[in-house]
Amino acid sequence: AAAKGLAWGLQVPCCGVSTLEAMAKNMGIYAGIVCAVMDARRNQVYNALFRVENGDFSRITEDRAISLADLGAELSQMEGEVYLVGDGSLVARSALGDRVIAPAEHRMHQRAAGVAMVAAEMIAAGAICDAESMQPNYLRLSQAEREKLERQSK
């Protein structure tokens, strides 16, 4: 919201960037699968998977909310090393076990450089980067919304 307000007021471009993708970009030139995870509580993580080959990234999944059990099952079917990044790395590592690798600390967390790299790629690809078009991307309903739906279904 702060970036959107500044961009709108200053009339400068502003891109909405996936936090998960920005964290994955911090991995640099590793080869394998980057599993970006943010703790979503309730044995779930916000997640996206990316394949990295010589610094070239390709998205395997969209940003999503997924249970640790489902993520573990999905990763068990994939070839190559799996690197965890994000604030959910500790939770995910304890649930996923030895199948995943925790990279160096400076590669695990979100940094401005990752956000800038994704935004630069979006601009180069011709994405619309203006304050008016920016919208949040909620991957699951809030607890209040889930409770309301539960009450309405009774």
Side-chain angles (χ1 to χ4, degrees):
K4 185 173 181 170
L6 287 171
W8 202 331
L10 296 171
Q11 298 180 353
V12 296
C14 186
C15 293
V17 171
S18 161
T19 302
L20 296 165
E21 185 173 359
M23 286 187 299
K25 286 290 183 183
N26 289 334
M27 285 299 296
I29 59 170
Y30 286 73
I33 296 168
V34 178
C35 179
V37 288
M38 295 173 65
D39 191 359
R41 310 275 190 250
R42 303 177 141 203
N43 290 317
Q44 286 190 331
V45 289
Y46 300 114
N47 164 260
L49 298 174
F50 302 86
R51 183 167 306 282
V52 184
E53 298 293 332
N54 298 320
D56 292 328
F57 281 72
S58 59
R59 189 179 270 275
I60 298 171
T61 67
E62 293 300 314
D63 293 359
R64 62 200 176 161
I66 187 171
S67 73
L68 287 166
D70 288 345
L71 180 59
E74 186 175 21
L75 291 174
S76 71
Q77 304 298 313
M78 295 184 170
E79 300 274 332
E81 295 182 319
V82 177
Y83 298 93
L84 282 177
V85 297
D87 71 0
S89 295
L90 296 176
V91 171
R93 178 148 185 157
S94 65
L96 302 175
D98 294 336
R99 172 75 174 108
V100 295
I101 300 165
E105 184 73 22
H106 71 282
R107 300 255 185 217
M108 287 182 70
H109 301 290
Q110 184 174 346
R111 297 183 331 202
V115 175
M117 286 187 279
V118 174
E121 290 172 2
M122 291 172 69
I123 291 167
I128 297 171
C129 293
D130 64 8
E132 281 187 65
S133 64
M134 283 182 52
Q135 296 293 322
N137 180 19
Y138 296 111
L139 300 177
R140 71 174 189 194
L141 296 175
S142 70
Q143 183 173 346
E145 290 169 315
R146 289 191 307 269
E147 289 173 358
K148 180 180 176 184
L149 288 174
E150 189 176 306
R151 283 192 307 274
Q152 290 174 343
S153 67
K154 290 182 182 180

